[in-house]
Amino acid sequence: MPPFHDCDFRDGRVLVMEPPAALFGGVGSRKRARVTAVRPCAFASAVAEAEEEGVKASAAKKQKRREAVPSLDELPDECLYEILRRVQGPRARCASAAVSRRWLATLGGIRASEIKRASPLPDLNEVFVCEDEDEVRFGCSERSLEGHEATDVGLTAVAVADALRGHLKSLVIRGSHPIRGVTDSGLSAAARGCPSLTSLALWHVPQVTDTGLAEIAACCPSLARLDITGCSLITDKGLAAIAQGCPDLKLLTIEACPGVANEGLKAISRCCTKLQAVNIKNCAYVGDQGVSSLVCAATASLAKVRLQGLGITDTSLAVIGYYGKAITDLTLARLPAVGERGFWVMANALGLQKLRCMSVSSCPGVTDLALASIAKFCPSLKQFNLKKCSQVSDGRLKDFAESAKVLESLQIEECNKVTLMGILAFLLNCSPKFKALLLVKCNGIKDICSAPAQLPLCKSLRSLTIKDCPGFTDASLAVVGMICPHLENVDLSGLGAVTDNGLLPLIKSSESGLVHVDLNGCENLTDATVSALVKAHGSSLARLGLEGCSKITDASLFVISEGCTDLAELDLSNCMVSDYGVAVLASARQLKLRVLSLSGCLKVTQKSVPFLGSMSASLEGLNLQFNFIGNHNVASLEKQLWWCDILA
């Protein structure tokens, strides 16, 4: 071993010795071996540099190998289209759509008729998938996209999944993503992928235009129902395309679309002669020409018409009265330009022989004369609703009752000229088939100073609603009890002036057995009313509403638990019931409540939790809002009543 000469390595340096040549088969050197000292930091740096260079070289080689491998992303759209249209089965198509946005867009652009359908030999190694299971997952007949879910990507995915099977019949789009909302691109993809579509609803989709609607018309010839609401960019041009491509259209709804006018409705009337229902609301530029053309063209099939917030005049109503020979349901609302003459002519045209249900709201042209004419010349009228018609009074209610020989239901809401005297005259002359009377927010319905000489006896009346009429008190309620002995459903909500003295005669006079009783907001009623009600009708009572009856206490719950056998719904919101009453109610085994509301019952506390947890398995809904039970106790109840929907 060569000697080390006078080397001072106390400074920490490393000794490196040069090997002699004889070790490698050479001739030994005459020179002595040299020892070179290298600092440790320099040595480590050299090693790190070498490793880094090695990593870079390896990465470069991998990059070259990747570049050498061909990629589908480099294919032009035409080639990718040919490849993807040969993908078979909804599972494979959905998997392909998940690869990238480009693949999804390409698949969305393939029409169902362009998919290459092959019949390859069966692969015996393939895992068998039950066809029914595949049908459930990929064969939905209805799809709905709402709010943030309503995007072009989501709509295209729906189209891709359904393109092969063609099972999607109904598509509903409610709202739209604020940034990536549904546009013509997404709607076009849905049209191409779902050619069997029969129902389309676009509600507040502001970015869809006539182009998207035209694609629907071109690809979905079986479309039978179209609902366009709040789509400001759709105009007559889009409706014309629908008319040309979808001649089997049966139901048309257009609401709050400022671009739609008469020309679009004319196009529909020329091509879609099978219309069964038309609903046109709040379209400022729709007038007599558009409405008249629709009614005239579909005179044999049009059964339901709703016109609201339009600028039509008497002319449209005259056309409806003459050509509406198949109309059974007619709704007219907020038609300020229609006068009394329009309603009179509509009735006297004798075309509405099949009309069964009619609703009129906020139409100043409805007067006593118009009302009498409608009843006289619409012999099939069974249900009539009046709302905010300020010109209607008691004057012709008697004539209306005499002429409407098959009328079953009358609703009068916010018609302040109608009084209790007019209602009594109506009941005295109404049809034997008359079953339901609803009086809502009528300030003219109030106590009368003297009762008429002859009180009517309406044995056919089964349902009576007198709601939010502040002038209606005990005296009037006693009269009602005398003239309506066979009531089954009574709704007196909002009659704050009614007390036990007024309601007790009504309870006692009812001979058929009350089934549904709503006394919400009758704050002066006490436990005496509930006791009398249960005693007389406990075996038939199915629903009892006592919301806001602040004088109702646990005594009522004790009576209910003892006397009610068929009670299914009980509303005790904002009553003075306590934990004791809840315990009594829960212990009544014969009581099979489905819905119980204890909202706002401040005396109901956490002590009620064990009793509520032992409620019958028939309980489906429990309202515990605004009380002192506590969130942790509600969580415990949710575990015990796992089958029940608890609102807290």
Side-chain angles (χ1 to χ4, degrees):
M1 182 174 180
F4 296 94
H5 296 279
D6 303 332
C7 293
D8 186 6
F9 30 78
R10 287 175 297 180
D11 56 357
R13 290 180 291 177
V14 180
L15 298 179
V16 180
M17 182 179 62
E18 290 184 359
L23 295 176
F24 298 96
V27 181
S29 176
R30 293 181 180 179
K31 295 182 180 180
R32 66 183 180 183
R34 292 177 298 173
V35 178
T36 306
V38 183
R39 294 184 179 276
C41 58
F43 180 73
S45 177
V47 173
E49 290 178 0
E51 291 179 352
E52 185 177 356
E53 290 178 0
V55 171
K56 290 182 178 179
S58 176
K61 290 180 181 180
K62 291 181 180 179
Q63 181 66 24
K64 288 181 180 180
R65 284 198 298 268
R66 282 197 298 266
E67 292 176 355
V69 177
S71 173
L72 288 177
D73 290 335
E74 296 181 358
L75 292 175
D77 292 340
E78 294 80 4
C79 295
L80 188 61
Y81 164 82
E82 290 296 333
I83 293 172
L84 293 180
R85 82 186 187 99
R86 286 169 169 78
V87 177
Q88 300 296 312
R91 293 175 180 271
R93 289 177 61 80
C94 289
S96 301
V99 171
S100 66
R101 288 183 180 271
R102 184 191 177 202
W103 284 39
L104 177 62
T106 304
L107 283 166
I110 301 174
R111 300 178 188 273
S113 59
E114 296 171 347
I115 297 175
K116 188 73 173 180
R117 288 174 170 81
S119 300
L121 292 174
D123 184 1
L124 299 180
N125 295 321
E126 184 179 3
V127 178
F128 176 74
V129 178
C130 177
E131 186 174 353
D132 293 339
E133 178 186 347
D134 198 54
E135 194 82 9
V136 171
R137 293 188 61 185
F138 298 98
C140 297
S141 61
E142 299 180 3
R143 290 298 299 268
S144 177
L145 299 178
E146 301 184 18
H148 287 260
E149 296 180 356
T151 63
D152 280 345
V153 173
L155 196 53
T156 304
V158 170
V160 169
D162 188 68
L164 271 176
R165 297 188 176 272
H167 285 187
L168 189 64
K169 302 296 183 182
S170 175
L171 178 61
V172 177
I173 303 174
R174 295 186 179 94
S176 186
H177 192 283
I179 300 176
R180 302 182 303 275
V182 173
T183 66
D184 292 336
S185 176
L187 196 60
S188 299
R192 289 189 289 265
C194 310
S196 301
L197 203 65
T198 59
S199 176
L200 174 64
L202 302 173
W203 296 348
H204 304 288
V205 189
Q207 299 182 58
V208 170
T209 69
D210 295 332
T211 303
L213 213 56
E215 195 69 25
I216 291 288
C219 302
C220 306
S222 301
L223 191 70
R225 179 172 183 170
L226 179 63
D227 185 344
I228 306 173
T229 299
C231 298
S232 56
L233 298 181
I234 290 179
T235 67
D236 290 338
K237 185 178 179 181
L239 287 184
I242 289 291
Q244 291 290 334
C246 308
D248 294 330
L249 192 68
K250 293 181 174 62
L251 286 81
L252 176 64
T253 296
I254 304 174
E255 180 178 354
C257 295
V260 174
N262 292 325
E263 294 304 318
L265 299 185
K266 286 182 179 180
I268 294 290
S269 66
R270 285 192 295 268
C271 304
C272 306
T273 57
K274 301 177 183 178
L275 278 176
Q276 296 177 359
V278 172
N279 185 358
I280 313 294
K281 297 173 61 178
N282 303 328
C283 296
Y285 296 103
V286 170
D288 291 328
Q289 293 183 10
V291 172
S292 299
S293 62
L294 285 177
V295 176
C296 292
T299 182
S301 60
L302 191 60
K304 187 175 182 179
V305 176
R306 181 183 178 92
L307 305 175
Q308 176 176 328
L310 306 180
I312 60 175
T313 66
D314 297 345
T315 302
S316 293
L317 265 65
V319 171
I320 291 173
Y322 188 80
Y323 291 97
K325 297 179 180 180
I327 294 178
T328 60
D329 191 335
L330 177 61
T331 299
L332 305 172
R334 292 198 292 112
L335 304 177
V338 176
E340 181 186 62
R341 180 180 177 84
F343 284 96
W344 185 87
V345 172
M346 179 183 70
N348 282 265
L350 302 179
L352 299 177
Q353 298 297 302
K354 295 183 178 181
L355 184 64
R356 291 188 302 228
C357 179
M358 184 174 182
S359 298
V360 184
S361 175
S362 301
C363 293
V366 177
T367 62
D368 294 336
L369 176 62
L371 198 64
S373 299
I374 291 171
K376 183 177 181 179
F377 297 109
C378 300
S380 301
L381 191 64
K382 292 184 177 182
Q383 182 177 342
F384 192 74
N385 301 331
L386 275 176
K387 182 178 180 180
K388 294 183 178 180
C389 294
S390 58
Q391 302 302 316
V392 174
S393 66
D394 296 338
R396 305 296 288 271
L397 280 180
K398 178 182 176 181
D399 297 339
F400 181 85
E402 291 175 346
S403 301
K405 297 181 180 180
V406 296
L407 189 69
E408 296 179 358
S409 174
L410 173 64
Q411 177 175 343
I412 302 177
E413 183 173 354
E414 296 186 62
C415 298
N416 295 326
K417 289 185 178 181
V418 175
T419 69
L420 194 57
M421 289 295 292
I423 296 299
L424 292 176
F426 173 87
L427 292 176
L428 185 61
N429 297 276
C430 67
S431 161
K433 298 181 179 181
F434 188 68
K435 297 178 181 179
L437 175 63
L438 296 88
L439 303 173
V440 182
K441 296 181 180 179
C442 294
N443 293 331
I445 301 297
K446 52 189 176 182
D447 294 343
I448 52 179
C449 297
S450 58
Q454 183 182 3
L455 281 176
L457 184 62
C458 190
K459 293 184 178 182
S460 63
L461 193 66
R462 296 292 183 270
S463 178
L464 175 65
T465 297
I466 304 176
K467 189 174 181 179
D468 296 324
C469 298
F472 195 88
T473 65
D474 290 344
S476 301
L477 197 57
V479 174
V480 170
M482 288 187 285
I483 64 179
C484 306
H486 297 296
L487 286 176
E488 295 178 359
N489 305 323
V490 175
D491 186 351
L492 303 177
S493 301
L495 301 185
V498 170
T499 67
D500 296 338
N501 294 330
L503 194 57
L504 289 176
L506 175 63
I507 293 173
K508 294 177 181 179
S509 63
S510 181
E511 301 174 2
S512 299
L514 295 175
V515 179
H516 295 165
V517 178
D518 289 322
L519 303 173
N520 301 327
C522 297
E523 55 191 21
N524 288 316
L525 297 181
T526 68
D527 294 325
T529 291
V530 177
S531 178
L533 180 63
V534 173
K535 184 177 180 180
H537 308 285
S539 59
S540 61
L541 197 61
R543 185 178 70 196
L544 177 59
L546 298 170
E547 180 184 358
C549 298
S550 55
K551 296 182 180 180
I552 299 297
T553 67
D554 293 337
S556 292
L557 298 190
F558 183 81
V559 173
I560 290 172
S561 65
E562 290 289 332
C564 292
T565 56
D566 292 331
L567 189 64
E569 299 181 24
L570 178 60
D571 189 352
L572 298 169
S573 302
N574 300 309
C575 292
M576 297 303 291
V577 298
S578 68
D579 297 327
Y580 174 75
V582 174
V584 170
L585 203 63
S587 63
R589 293 306 168 192
Q590 81 281 1
L591 199 59
K592 304 296 181 183
L593 285 176
R594 289 192 301 105
V595 179
L596 174 62
S597 178
L598 297 171
S599 175
C601 297
L602 301 181
K603 290 187 176 182
V604 176
T605 67
Q606 59 185 2
K607 295 180 181 179
S608 297
V609 173
F611 307 111
L612 292 172
S614 64
M615 292 288 288
S616 170
S618 62
L619 192 65
E620 299 175 1
L622 179 61
N623 188 349
L624 298 176
Q625 290 181 309
F626 312 115
N627 51 38
F628 295 105
I629 289 182
N631 293 333
H632 62 287
N633 290 313
V634 170
S636 175
L637 274 176
E638 289 176 343
K639 293 180 181 179
Q640 296 179 61
L641 305 175
W642 53 268
W643 64 87
C644 180
D645 185 11
I646 299 178
L647 184 62

